[in-house]
Amino acid sequence: DAGVIQSPRHEVTEMGQEVTLRCKPISGHNSLFWYRQTMMRGLELLIYFNNNVPIDDSGMPEDRFSAKMPNASFSTLKIQPSEPRDSAVYFCASSLWIGSTSGNTIYFGEGSWLTVV
Amino acid sequence: GENVEQHPSTLSVQEGDSAVIKCTYSDSASNYFPWYKQELGKRPQLIIDIRSNVGEKKDQRIAVTLNKTAKHFSLHITETQPEDSAVYFCAVSGGGADGLTFGKGTHLIIQP
């Protein structure tokens, strides 16, 4: 399996520009997560989807951030307009939830390294 | 929401010695406790996990213990090697399809 695939791996953009990060989850997985990692705040859950439906977006920092999952094999995280404080590594992760209550193993992509100047 | 505290933030041990990292959590309903290892510039990777119906789990040099009453769990690495140097994160989940809440991480340094 190719694992979780993210693009772009690195992006440098100017403040005010729109940024779109892309993710392809592991085939067959039905849950998808977007995390942000910074030195100050660590790994933060931004939003997650189950069966393509957004379940909890309480971690999305503000209205400039939006996420979509139009089908089971693709998701985007968009920042518009971008600001320097959005500079971080954005990880997409996926898992297969089989309906049990015992938790599910989450696999991370390689991350998208975003720098806003 | 869930709150996860992880200690220490930095741990330096001599090669061959043991390392122990501890985490506490706040939500007594949490029932899944994985540990991730992240090398510099890489993604977090699962190294071991434990569920609430088990008190201890071991995989070669790595073990995790869970005390649900006290709401804490620990990662134990024995016979440490240079390749164990990394940042280790504990995480907690309430089960179901929800995401993980992570601790702030422990930078483990293995001294030769």
Side-chain angles (χ1 to χ4, degrees):
Chain A
D1 196 318
V4 178
I5 299 173
Q6 292 187 244
S7 65
R9 291 294 317 280
H10 300 271
E11 172 129 358
V12 180
T13 190
E14 291 186 346
M15 182 173 62
Q17 296 297 304
E18 177 180 294
V19 174
T20 299
L21 308 178
R22 298 172 177 80
C23 176
K24 176 179 167 52
I26 292 172
S27 178
H29 281 190
N30 57 4
S31 292
L32 183 139
F33 310 85
W34 282 100
Y35 281 87
R36 177 172 68 175
Q37 185 174 35
T38 61
M39 288 294 293
M40 290 298 296
R41 301 176 69 89
L43 274 162
E44 303 174 275
L45 178 63
L46 301 179
I47 184 171
Y48 75 92
F49 297 82
N50 190 37
N51 293 321
N52 313 338
V53 177
I55 304 299
D56 184 355
D57 65 355
S58 60
M60 296 284 261
E62 48 197 276
D63 292 346
R64 297 184 297 106
F65 286 69
S66 63
K68 293 182 180 180
M69 191 165 187
N71 58 62
S73 59
F74 183 66
S75 176
T76 59
L77 177 67
K78 187 175 292 187
I79 308 172
Q80 167 63 21
S82 58
E83 297 181 3
R85 61 194 167 115
D86 301 331
S87 298
V89 184
Y90 291 82
F91 287 103
C92 178
S94 72
S95 70
L96 174 61
W97 181 52
I98 59 175
S100 74
T101 58
S102 60
N104 50 326
T105 302
I106 292 176
Y107 299 90
F108 284 80
E110 297 285 359
S112 291
W113 295 66
L114 174 65
T115 303
V116 183
V117 297
Chain B
E2 177 70 87
N3 183 44
V4 180
E5 300 272 346
Q6 182 172 346
H7 299 281
S9 57
T10 303
L11 177 61
S12 181
V13 302
Q14 290 293 124
E15 183 178 348
D17 288 351
S18 296
V20 181
I21 303 169
K22 299 180 179 180
C23 285
T24 60
Y25 60 98
S26 59
D27 188 349
S28 57
S30 296
N31 57 14
Y32 176 60
F33 310 91
W35 286 88
Y36 284 79
K37 175 183 181 182
Q38 187 177 29
E39 296 176 346
L40 188 63
K42 302 284 185 66
R43 62 184 165 183
Q45 291 196 291
L46 179 73
I47 55 171
I48 195 167
D49 59 10
I50 193 168
R51 288 173 167 79
S52 59
N53 57 344
V54 176
E56 183 174 357
K57 183 176 179 181
K58 189 173 182 180
D59 182 3
Q60 300 183 324
R61 297 187 296 109
I62 293 172
V64 57
T65 58
L66 171 65
N67 184 328
K68 282 220 74 179
T69 303
K71 291 188 282 188
H72 68 71
F73 58 113
S74 300
L75 177 70
H76 305 252
I77 306 174
T78 59
E79 301 172 14
T80 53
Q81 300 170 3
E83 55 263 36
D84 295 330
S85 293
V87 179
Y88 291 80
F89 293 92
C90 64
V92 174
S93 169
D98 57 341
L100 298 169
T101 300
F102 283 85
K104 287 285 192 267
T106 296
H107 186 193
L108 177 62
I109 302 165
I110 308 301
Q111 302 278 7

